[in-house]
Amino acid sequence: MLRDVVLYEMYISGEHDLLNEFFLPCLSNSNTYDRAAGYFHSSIYQVIKPGLESFIARDGKIRLITSVKITDEDVELIRQGYEERQFLEKYLDVVYEDMYARREEPDVANLCWLIKHGYLDVRITIPDFSEDISPESFYHDKIGIFGDGDDFVVFLGSNNESQGGWIKNFESFEVFCSWDSSVQSRVRRRRAYFERLWKGECPHLYTYAFPQAYQERLKALAPAAFVSEPHDHPKTKTISSSGEIGSKTSGSVNRWRHQDEAVNSFLKHGNGILEMATGTGKTRTALRIMNVLREQGKIDSAIITVSGTDLLDQWAREVTTHATSWSIFKYYDDNKELSEFLLNPKGAVLIVSRDFLRQSMPFIRRKDMLLTRSLLICDEVHGLGTATTVRELQGQLSTFAYRLGLSATPDREYDEVGNEFIKNEIGEVIFRFQLEDAIKRGILCEFDYYPLKYDLTDEDREKLHRLIKIYNAQKSAGVPVDDEEFYREMARVKKLSPAKLPVFKEFVRQHPDILERCIIFVETIEYGEEVQKIVIEHQPYFHTYYGNDDKDNLERFSRSELDCLVTCKRISEGIDIRSVKNVVLFSSDRSKLVTIQRIGRSLRVDPSDPHKRATVVDFVCFEDDSVEDTADKERMTWLSKVAQTRREE
């Protein structure tokens, strides 16, 4: 039944597999399918066969309304008395000739078979073309309604009823379910609208059934059984009786199937960390888990925590879009809605900053329901292991019934205490889908890697020698030393080395296109000012983004009003700007964590640029007298290897 299908409130090409995640699961669980689309092509009945098999087994019925192409000359003839029905019959004669010529092709054969056996009824709608209706007008609406006898799923969006509309083009649509009380009226109105359209009761539109003679001609072209070509069966999403999300075996591969695997892994364990590369859908996967747990009656509320206003705002938008049945409360920045959430937690989500979570826990722990009937989602879970959080929340997060951690790289280098805290409070890594996996599957794009070599200045060497001398002296004296702090200070010297600037200037001179749709990561505002002097010689459309005061610049960059952004750390995590093609790393960390997050800004697939290929520019120093040299060498070796990864066909 339709209620068994896991549904989002919105589907977007590039982020979802429209056919496998939505169309086929709904069709497989329905016995009626009403569809109105401005454009229709028989190719659709070649790719949806897996869903049609279950649909036909239920004696399902498809009602299709579509439009036809009409020229200015045709409109003029109609206005002079040439009836629309006459025009329609003339048009269908032309269509029939084309279908007869292609009668052995699977898409035409399947269309005719459906009509012959009563599973498909087609009607065509045409504007009445009275004097006040533009001759350029045509029916362009798109609506679909699945029904199972009790419930209905309505979708509204851009895609037409064709192979291109479901698996090739970049489309989006919204979904409304009849069992969701907040949208029931919209479902009823859309069903009523389709009925009026089907009966020809909409103003300024005529709806015509296929002439009987034309139907008979099409039936004569029908094969004995549905036909298909090798490997044309997509996967069909199913849900087992245990609630597990899965796929029926078929020829084509769902490149987003890792999200199903991640959901199933969490449902099996009940807590743990999903280690998923940037851009592979961590947020959407978490919201699917949240929705499934609620549908299964296991939770009543959820708490989502992460640091940074940008990420918190992004989570609020995602919940609004993909979990519309939940009430949203915010406790970060200027939003102080904690008390409202505590008063009305059922069916509610609290989006809270990590700092405010520490303040909130005494109040949350007073409500048993929030511990036994809630899901805690910790985005960028590696950030949870700070000394302050460990000290203030030790033993408290593990009391939630369900705990989900998300990160591209969950381990904290040189911080066993923080790692142990995360493991005890949230759980171990229960699923991995890494950078190379995402590139191979085409979820992230391929990239070129340029490691630019530079030599330290005399002043840089002196600073490094001083740090090493102090470090070694303290160790020899038995003074406790902080290895992480030592390596951080060593790395900072390199991050701020002026020796990188002339190397970058020469690279930009040879490759000025590197500054197009580019993010440049620097360590400090002062260093960024030196980089800007180089950028402005080649790229006038740039700006800085160092904090909340520059937030407008991030938005301008996302709208492509700016081509280049110079920044510190503010957009390392989670911000989704798909048009970014190039990343320059003046500031590179020893850990893979920050590097993955930063290069991930450029690796997201861009629907407006299907052939996108990213570029990552890095700076490496190999001087033998620095114990820190291995970090640059290891990063270069690793990124060079990842850059060789190619998409699998």
Side-chain angles (χ1 to χ4, degrees), residues 56-69:
I56 291 170
R58 293 185 173 89
D59 196 30
K61 297 292 186 294
I62 300 173
R63 294 191 295 177
L64 171 68
I65 301 173
T66 188
S67 186
V68 296
K69 296 179 181 179

Side-chain angles (χ1 to χ4, degrees), residues 75 79 127 129-138:
V75 173
R79 286 178 172 174
F129 292 116
S130 57
E131 291 299 326
D132 58 342
I133 301 295
S134 169
E136 298 177 356
S137 298
F138 66 102

Side-chain angles (χ1 to χ4, degrees), residues 439-554:
I439 294 173
K440 288 178 181 178
R441 201 169 289 180
I443 294 170
L444 297 179
C445 68
E446 300 173 3
F447 70 98
D448 297 313
Y449 175 59
Y450 290 91
L452 305 184
K453 298 181 181 180
Y454 71 99
D455 295 322
L456 295 171
T457 65
D458 290 340
E459 185 178 355
D460 293 333
R461 295 189 188 95
E462 184 178 343
K463 290 178 180 177
L464 291 175
H465 290 159
R466 189 183 309 121
L467 288 169
I468 295 171
K469 184 177 181 180
I470 294 172
Y471 176 79
N472 289 334
Q474 289 178 331
K475 290 192 72 172
S476 299
V479 177
V481 294
D482 186 335
D483 288 346
E484 183 179 5
E485 181 63 24
F486 168 67
Y487 284 119
R488 187 182 298 116
E489 290 299 320
M490 295 279 288
R492 184 174 172 82
V493 173
K494 288 190 172 184
K495 291 175 182 178
L496 296 176
S497 174
K500 298 177 182 179
L501 296 171
V503 176
F504 179 63
K505 185 173 184 177
E506 176 60 20
F507 183 82
V508 174
R509 187 188 67 79
Q510 298 180 27
H511 306 88
D513 56 343
I514 194 65
L515 299 178
E516 297 176 3
R517 304 308 299 151
C518 176
I519 298 178
I520 301 176
F521 289 97
V522 296
E523 181 68 10
T524 65
I525 294 175
E526 293 74 21
Y527 197 93
E529 290 172 350
E530 297 301 313
V531 173
Q532 289 170 227
K533 295 175 183 178
I534 300 172
V535 172
I536 199 169
E537 295 178 11
H538 303 272
Q539 176 56 264
Y541 301 107
F542 80 94
H543 219 294
T544 58
Y545 179 62
Y546 295 128
N548 287 333
D549 293 342
D550 293 329
K551 192 168 183 179
D552 287 346
N553 294 329
L554 178 63

Side-chain angles (χ1 to χ4, degrees), residues 152-169:
F152 298 91
V153 172
V154 173
F155 64 95
L156 309 169
S158 64
N159 53 321
N160 284 302
E161 193 74 341
S162 64
Q163 185 180 34
W166 285 103
I167 65 174
K168 292 182 179 179
N169 303 336

Side-chain angles (χ1 to χ4, degrees), residues 349-367:
V349 176
L350 175 67
I351 302 174
V352 57
S353 68
R354 202 158 281 152
D355 290 338
F356 284 6
L357 177 66
R358 296 197 299 269
Q359 301 174 20
S360 307
M361 282 306 297
F363 304 100
I364 292 173
R365 286 171 61 84
R366 293 174 188 171
K367 283 186 169 286

Side-chain angles (χ1 to χ4, degrees), residues 456 464-465 468 490 494 623-630:
L456 295 171
L464 291 175
H465 290 159
I468 295 171
M490 295 279 288
K494 288 190 172 184
E623 295 198 11
D624 295 331
D625 55 357
S626 169
V627 298
E628 175 68 6
D629 277 349
T630 57

Side-chain angles (χ1 to χ4, degrees), residues 13-15 256 279 284 443 517 575-581 601-607 612:
S13 297
E15 299 179 11
W256 295 94
R284 303 290 169 81
I443 294 170
R517 304 308 299 151
I575 302 305
D576 187 1
I577 305 174
R578 294 175 174 273
S579 60
V580 176
K581 292 183 68 173
R601 302 303 108 230
S602 66
L603 300 185
R604 294 176 186 263
V605 174
D606 183 4
K612 172 182 169 182

